[in-house]
Amino acid sequence: MQGNGFRVGLTIFFVGLCGFYLFPSVQNLYVGYKMNNMAEEERVEYEAENRQWLDQVDESSLNLGLDLQGGMHVTLEVEIGNLLDQLAVNKDEAFQGALRAAEQRAGEENVSVVEAFVEAFEAENPDGRLSRYFRNQGEDITRRSSNDEVQEYLQAQADAAVQNGIQVVRNRVNQYGVTEPSIQRQGDERIVVELPGVSNRERVRDLLESASQLTFHLMSEPQRLGESVQRIIEHYEPTAEDSARIAEARAADTAAADTSSDTSEVTEGTELAAASGQEASSGSQQGTALTEPGEGAQTGPQNSILAVMQPMPGQDQPIIGRAFASDTSRVNELLGDPSVQKMFPPGIEPMWTASPVLTTEDGREAFHLLAVRAEPELTGEVVTEASVQFDRQTNEPKVSITMNSDGARRWDRITAANIGNRVSIVLDDIVYSSPNIQSRISGGRTEITGLESRREAQDIVTVLQSGRLQTDLNIISERTVGPSLGEESTRAGFISVVAGFLLVVLFMIMYYRTAGVVADVALLLNVILILGILAGFGATLTLPGIAGIVLTIGMAVDANVLIYDRVREEQATGKTLRAAISAGYEQSLSAILDANITTFFVGVILYSFGVGPIKGFAVTLMAGILASLFTAIIVTRILFDYLVEERRMQVSYG
Amino acid sequence: MRLFENADYSLIPNRRIGYIISGTLLTISILSLLTKGLALGIDFRGGMEFVVGNTTDLNTVDVRSALMESFEEEPEVKRFGDTGHLIRVSGDGDITMMENQLLTALNGQFSGRDIAIESTNVVGPRFAEDLKRGAIYAVLGALLVVFLYIMVRFEWRYSLGAVAALVHDVIITLGIFSVLAGIAPFSVQVDQSLIAAFLTIVGYSLNDTVVVFDRVREYVNLFKTETFDVIVNRSINATLSRTVVTSVTTLIVVTILFVFGGEVLRGFSFALIIGVIIGTYSSIFVASPTIVELNRRLEKSAA
């Protein structure tokens, strides 16, 4: 058995590794089964007690694709052509023609709209300069800029628009309150959104496709807001019928209290000053120390609004309250009630902040809910330029905004009338910044100071820059699977795996006897390894993926069949069992490797060109090839060596 | 149990029979592909598909006629497993509007059964164009990579033999899908998952071919006095038992997928069943004869 020590070690290592990665999935299955058998109340309590652990187990489990668990898969496209149209000035025939040609070509070939546009323009106007359409001082595009420079600038703008689109989608999805959404960029202009377990397709479509626009709003007066919040809390004071909900609310309260020790103190105090005016002194920063989330909920675990939101009255800022990301959709629901909406001061709408105001140690993020005047004062088109700058004395980051003359005139009036009040920068009903107006700002040059970090400044600039252009998102593909259909598919897939496995196992034993049993052990290990590889790489198991596993079960025995047939041939030439086994493994190795490597290449190609569930199929196919190579060449050899050399068994190859 | 042990069939000498079978199948396939064409799924054509539930007991014809009034173009209606019906509408428009139109028409006609949409699949025309391009690249890319790999590991004659067999397999499988379009009781539309099936067939057929070629390579060095024809024939016979056993186990699992894998995988697993049969056949009757013929040409031109 020389050399087997290494093989045994390798096998134990890989199997152990797969076991490690699969353990959470097994735990998850077990917990799901256990909770299914519990009574409703018992389950709620159990969930509350083990919430963190359950989340953790669920997160590290093997992911099921949307076609198995049900959900919505949407591919959005950012309209880059529209963006170019908005960016350009002095548009003439040549511009329109090139844009049309570019949109046409981008639809047929694999080029970006920007690239196609530049090429189309240059083809039609060999001496034409694109800079005449896209002059922009802030971006250093002058009349002399070359077409390459313009292309670079346009590509950067398109890129920012897609990034901005992703941000917008993320905010909207968060508002909708989906668990574990996935939002990813695909290629140049596309965004793939995966929402497990969504049932209201229509709302999601509206949510994803609606146009977004940057606006500036004034906010509610804090005093009047305090009264409104008080009335809303009273509205949700429980009546006798609500007592059933107590248990649930208490659970939420416990969870909130768990995190209370981890909260960090965050100060919020950004200020708005005229660029020409004095630099903001850091002493005037209005830092607001946050209290711990458990405290506010003390008064009433029974009150449904207090269970999910901590009110923050008595501030000098128009903050309604604070809630964790997971609770925001519930808060929206409670405040969206028509009778509750009336309790706000007239013309006031609640909006969430874009960035979290605090993050607990276990990664939960809380956001402020601000009271903003629904009617915008200004829209984003007036912004001509926005950039991050640093204060010359304190070196603190600040955001510099320039407005056009129309915007500047209105801005002058607004700031003059609202010194000391806050103004919020809103994109898509999300507040990105709400600085305090320090002085009247004439001339349109504005600065936001008192920012936390360079990153915060950059985020605001990104919103200002891309938000002034309207980013249109179009659904170009949608796949929805209802939960019952997903369940049906899961069941069908499971039956196929089990039935396929059993039949192949029986066939191998029938055909190869003892050696067949060894191959079957390898096959079982094979399936475990595939699942382990999938879990380890965080891959998603889809229905085509299950089909890939079933197929692998049939094809994986091939390597063993090759070896066994070779062993039989060697035995027929009169070799002893040991010699025949050794020769069989050696002689068949090249065929096994060549056959599997070519198939693996095919899997790689399938992976790189396929989309969605097909990728899942390619992944299992590749994982299956690796696993079957390992089990057929290494694991079965260990078993045969053990049986023949240690146990002196006359292994039958049928 | 032993099958085809010590097999000694005259396969290469009788390869003309294979040529006749393959020639006939290829002719039928190409004719059907040219005249009838393929039923493209919405992945490659664009359009909308809806699966409606709670209609299991309804007749497909009734469902179609209920929809005919409210849609300009007659939608395709098919039974969809145990769930209900699959309704396919071409063209693109507002998804929500289409859904509502569909539900109003169905619930109006068959009142009191709460027909609901179970799943949707919508592909815009531009996106479909992209998917089609990706699929063509994938199949061509796979053939190219296979050609190159075999050229490196064996030599160019073997590459040509392997790729000839693969092209043969893909054309005939496509041909069968073309012939069956509109006849088969399950979906034989060409979509993303079918491309995955084709590439799997490519992989499987190749697997078979490589095993035979590997043996040829070995025997060429072992039996230096024999003619190439005899060596190839002996290689096929020596690997015949393995070829059959692997085909059987693979056929077992793809048949199970076809029967138990549910409606979504039916077309996919059907393509695999055909592919496994044709792939096994082609490694014996297409790939091996190709290298024999190429060898003859070479020897003739050398002489």
Side-chain angles (χ1 to χ4, degrees):
Chain A
M1 282 210 40
Q2 71 271 42
N4 267 1
F6 178 68
R7 289 197 190 120
V8 172
L10 207 63
T11 310
I12 291 174
F13 173 73
F14 278 126
V15 174
L17 201 64
C18 286
F20 172 74
Y21 281 123
L22 281 177
F23 184 62
S25 307
V26 175
Q27 271 182 320
N28 205 8
L29 270 179
Y30 170 70
V31 168
Y33 173 76
K34 197 162 105 181
M35 292 206 309
N36 256 338
N37 288 341
M38 284 183 190
E40 176 69 27
E41 259 173 64
E42 207 182 340
R43 195 173 67 216
V44 169
E45 197 174 326
Y46 183 81
E47 265 176 31
E49 267 171 30
N50 300 296
R51 185 158 156 183
Q52 206 175 327
W53 181 75
L54 285 175
D55 283 351
Q56 207 182 334
V57 165
D58 193 50
E59 203 165 297
S60 39
S61 284
L62 190 56
N63 305 316
L64 288 187
L66 294 183
D67 54 345
L68 295 180
Q69 59 169 318
M72 229 172 148
H73 176 114
V74 180
T75 309
L76 293 160
E77 192 167 60
V78 182
E79 290 245 333
I80 301 295
N82 197 349
L83 178 83
L84 295 184
D85 195 53
Q86 287 183 58
L87 280 172
V89 291
N90 306 327
K91 287 173 271 192
D92 54 15
E93 267 308 299
F95 174 86
Q96 304 290 6
L99 189 58
R100 267 197 305 274
E103 281 181 325
Q104 171 91 17
R105 193 175 144 218
E108 287 158 6
E109 288 168 56
N110 198 11
V111 289
S112 71
V113 175
V114 171
E115 207 182 314
F117 168 74
V118 174
E119 279 168 24
F121 179 81
E122 285 178 343
E124 287 294 317
N125 316 277
D127 303 319
R129 277 181 172 277
L130 282 167
S131 54
R132 70 169 182 242
Y133 305 122
F134 297 105
R135 238 180 304 159
N136 185 323
Q137 285 187 343
E139 298 287 342
D140 242 7
I141 299 293
T142 62
R143 272 172 54 193
R144 282 178 216 292
S145 298
S146 72
N147 284 357
D148 283 348
E149 279 165 3
V150 175
Q151 181 173 353
E152 209 170 290
Y153 155 72
L154 292 178
Q155 199 64 62
Q157 290 291 318
D159 213 56
V162 177
Q163 285 303 339
N164 184 49
I166 291 176
Q167 189 56 46
V168 165
V169 167
R170 183 162 294 137
N171 289 334
R172 291 175 179 175
V173 167
N174 284 345
Q175 252 175 311
Y176 188 74
V178 184
T179 49
E180 292 182 47
S182 145
I183 298 155
Q184 279 173 334
R185 185 173 180 162
Q186 187 188 59
D188 276 342
E189 294 149 16
R190 290 183 186 152
I191 303 167
V192 173
V193 186
E194 293 193 319
L195 308 170
V198 167
S199 53
N200 193 342
R201 297 184 295 271
E202 188 179 339
R203 233 192 100 194
V204 171
R205 279 178 212 132
D206 288 348
L207 205 64
L208 293 179
E209 273 193 316
S210 59
S212 63
Q213 201 179 21
L214 178 75
T215 43
F216 295 86
H217 298 249
L218 288 170
M219 305 180 78
S220 169
E221 288 156 28
Q223 293 84 351
R224 292 192 58 188
L225 186 66
E227 294 162 23
S228 301
V229 172
Q230 203 48 49
R231 268 209 301 279
I232 293 168
I233 294 170
E234 277 161 22
H235 174 83
Y236 280 112
E237 268 310 311
T239 50
E241 305 99 74
D242 288 335
S243 54
R245 232 185 262 146
I246 291 178
E248 200 185 337
R250 188 171 289 144
D253 189 45
T254 325
D258 275 348
T259 60
S260 58
S261 55
D262 312 326
T263 51
S264 53
E265 212 169 76
V266 176
T267 55
E268 174 166 299
T270 46
E271 295 164 21
L272 215 53
S276 52
Q278 314 82 358
E279 304 295 340
S281 62
S282 54
S284 67
Q285 270 206 12
Q286 291 158 324
T288 317
L290 293 181
T291 49
E292 321 217 310
E295 262 171 50
Q298 217 64 277
T299 48
Q302 307 96 329
N303 187 312
S304 41
I305 186 82
L306 292 180
V308 285
M309 186 187 80
Q310 179 200 351
M312 311 195 68
Q315 308 285 350
D316 54 356
Q317 287 189 60
I319 302 174
I320 299 168
R322 182 177 66 184
F324 283 114
S326 51
D327 295 330
T328 51
S329 58
R330 173 77 181 138
V331 174
N332 291 344
E333 199 183 307
L334 291 170
L335 297 183
D337 188 291
S339 59
V340 174
Q341 272 180 335
K342 270 188 233 125
M343 297 177 189
F344 282 111
I348 292 297
E349 206 181 309
M351 293 183 191
W352 294 101
T353 54
S355 40
V357 290
L358 77 99
T359 307
T360 60
E361 237 168 52
D362 57 352
R364 301 219 296 154
E365 294 181 330
F367 296 83
H368 273 161
L369 187 60
L370 305 177
V372 180
R373 281 203 207 159
E375 196 60 37
E377 303 299 322
L378 279 177
T379 54
E381 294 116 43
V382 301
V383 176
T384 54
E385 198 197 319
S387 61
V388 180
Q389 288 179 355
F390 292 91
D391 190 295
R392 243 173 261 147
Q393 277 143 34
T394 61
N395 211 25
E396 276 178 14
K398 59 187 184 183
V399 172
S400 161
I401 308 170
T402 315
M403 293 182 183
N404 62 19
S405 57
D406 172 47
R409 208 167 46 242
R410 280 152 68 195
W411 193 230
D412 182 16
R413 199 168 22 98
I414 295 160
T415 51
N418 289 285
I419 295 175
N421 291 335
R422 284 175 182 270
V423 65
S424 49
I425 299 171
V426 176
L427 181 70
D428 222 41
D429 284 351
I430 296 279
V431 178
Y432 281 81
S433 179
S434 50
N436 198 7
I437 300 172
Q438 287 206 312
S439 60
R440 173 174 173 175
I441 303 173
S442 318
R445 278 179 58 80
T446 309
E447 280 182 352
I448 304 175
T449 58
L451 298 167
E452 282 280 301
S453 61
R454 197 203 146 105
R455 219 192 120 189
E456 189 186 351
Q458 188 55 54
D459 285 349
I460 296 173
V461 166
T462 307
V463 165
L464 285 168
Q465 273 180 342
S466 49
R468 76 196 160 91
L469 299 166
Q470 207 172 308
T471 313
D472 287 335
L473 298 173
N474 285 330
I475 293 180
I476 54 166
S477 160
E478 181 198 296
R479 228 178 19 247
T480 315
V481 174
S484 63
L485 195 65
E487 238 169 71
E488 209 177 294
S489 291
T490 312
R491 198 169 337 110
F494 184 72
I495 292 174
S496 304
V497 170
V498 172
F501 184 80
L502 287 180
L503 278 179
V504 171
V505 160
L506 281 179
F507 177 83
M508 290 298 281
I509 293 179
M510 229 169 64
Y511 199 84
Y512 289 113
R513 309 286 154 146
T514 324
V517 177
V518 171
D520 290 341
V521 172
L523 194 58
L524 181 64
L525 209 59
N526 197 344
V527 176
I528 295 174
L529 284 177
I530 295 175
L531 292 176
I533 292 173
L534 292 184
F537 281 99
T540 305
L541 190 63
T542 60
L543 183 59
I546 294 181
I549 293 179
V550 177
L551 195 67
T552 307
I553 290 173
M555 289 177 38
V557 292
D558 181 55
N560 281 119
V561 171
L562 275 167
I563 295 169
Y564 292 177
D565 270 29
R566 202 66 198 227
V567 173
R568 281 180 176 184
E569 277 177 47
E570 301 293 336
Q571 275 182 313
T573 64
K575 284 188 182 151
T576 64
L577 183 60
R578 269 170 79 169
I581 290 176
S582 177
Y585 273 87
E586 268 166 38
Q587 296 294 327
S588 49
L589 190 65
S590 76
I592 294 175
L593 284 180
D594 280 338
N596 281 290
I597 289 172
T598 40
T599 318
F600 190 82
F601 279 149
V602 173
V604 172
I605 288 170
L606 192 54
Y607 182 81
S608 34
F609 285 106
V611 284
I614 305 302
K615 267 200 186 346
F617 174 75
V619 170
T620 44
L621 202 65
M622 289 188 283
I625 288 168
L626 292 180
S628 71
L629 272 180
F630 178 73
T631 53
I633 298 174
I634 306 213
V635 177
T636 58
R637 187 68 197 268
I638 298 172
L639 291 173
F640 281 125
D641 280 353
Y642 173 74
L643 290 176
V644 175
E645 292 180 20
E646 307 275 311
R647 303 287 298 268
R648 307 261 160 221
M649 204 168 135
Q650 275 304 314
V651 174
S652 161
Y653 280 81
Chain B
M1 191 162 70
R2 299 198 167 199
L3 296 171
F4 300 106
E5 209 198 8
N6 304 322
D8 189 18
Y9 301 100
S10 301
L11 296 167
I12 288 299
N14 291 316
R15 61 184 181 278
R16 295 221 154 65
I17 299 175
Y19 293 168
I20 293 169
I21 298 175
S22 291
T24 317
L25 287 177
L26 280 174
T27 314
I28 296 174
S29 297
I30 291 172
L31 277 181
S32 176
L33 285 171
L34 287 180
T35 54
K36 195 174 172 191
L38 283 166
L40 287 188
I42 65 160
D43 284 6
F44 298 141
R45 188 184 62 181
M48 305 185 186
E49 260 176 18
F50 302 97
V51 174
V52 290
N54 291 337
T55 59
T56 331
D57 52 326
L58 292 178
N59 195 324
T60 305
V61 180
D62 294 342
V63 174
R64 192 177 297 132
S65 60
L67 292 173
M68 238 143 79
E69 288 159 31
S70 45
F71 287 89
E72 290 167 30
E73 213 179 320
E74 187 181 327
E76 271 177 74
V77 179
K78 277 208 169 101
R79 188 159 277 283
F80 190 83
D82 299 332
T83 315
H85 286 88
L86 175 85
I87 295 156
R88 192 174 284 133
V89 193
S90 58
D92 64 330
D94 191 72
I95 312 170
T96 308
M97 227 175 65
M98 199 66 88
E99 270 184 6
N100 292 338
Q101 210 176 340
L102 201 76
L103 288 180
T104 318
L106 287 178
N107 280 318
Q109 191 81 13
F110 314 103
S111 52
R113 57 170 68 233
D114 191 27
I115 295 173
I117 289 180
E118 285 286 326
S119 81
T120 65
N121 189 2
V122 178
V123 179
R126 267 186 64 175
F127 195 55
E129 218 36 64
D130 280 10
L131 291 179
K132 204 196 285 177
R133 192 171 43 232
I136 293 170
Y137 284 167
V139 173
L140 293 182
L143 293 180
L144 183 71
V145 167
V146 164
F147 184 87
L148 291 178
Y149 182 79
I150 298 200
M151 199 163 80
V152 171
R153 288 286 296 163
F154 296 85
E155 50 181 294
W156 66 270
R157 277 179 294 169
Y158 294 79
S159 279
L160 274 183
V163 170
L166 297 181
V167 171
H168 168 270
D169 298 346
V170 170
I171 290 180
I172 291 180
T173 313
L174 276 174
I176 291 176
F177 267 74
S178 165
V179 169
L180 287 180
I183 303 171
F186 48 86
S187 168
V188 285
Q189 293 204 328
V190 178
D191 56 14
Q192 284 271 339
S193 64
L194 214 61
I195 297 300
F198 283 151
L199 289 189
T200 314
I201 293 169
V202 165
Y204 180 83
S205 166
L206 194 67
N207 212 11
D208 256 10
T209 306
V210 166
V211 168
V212 177
F213 283 2
D214 182 75
R215 196 56 78 97
V216 173
R217 184 170 54 181
E218 185 189 330
Y219 281 180
V220 164
N221 293 325
L222 206 61
F223 307 105
K224 289 202 192 307
T225 52
E226 305 272 16
T227 65
F228 194 62
D229 294 22
V230 173
I231 289 172
V232 172
N233 198 53
R234 189 173 293 164
S235 304
I236 298 174
N237 275 299
T239 52
L240 198 58
S241 141
R242 171 267 157 198
T243 305
V244 171
V245 171
T246 301
S247 300
V248 168
T249 56
T250 312
L251 266 181
I252 289 176
V253 293
V254 292
T255 311
I256 280 173
L257 269 185
F258 183 72
V259 177
F260 297 112
E263 207 57 41
V264 183
L265 289 179
R266 200 133 293 161
F268 172 80
S269 42
F270 179 69
L272 286 179
I273 292 179
I274 298 176
V276 168
I277 296 170
I278 308 242
T280 308
Y281 160 86
S282 74
S283 59
I284 297 172
F285 290 100
V286 178
S288 306
T290 305
I291 56 171
V292 169
E293 299 290 353
L294 281 172
N295 200 59
R296 291 191 164 201
R297 295 275 152 81
L298 282 183
E299 276 174 1
K300 230 181 251 172
S301 61

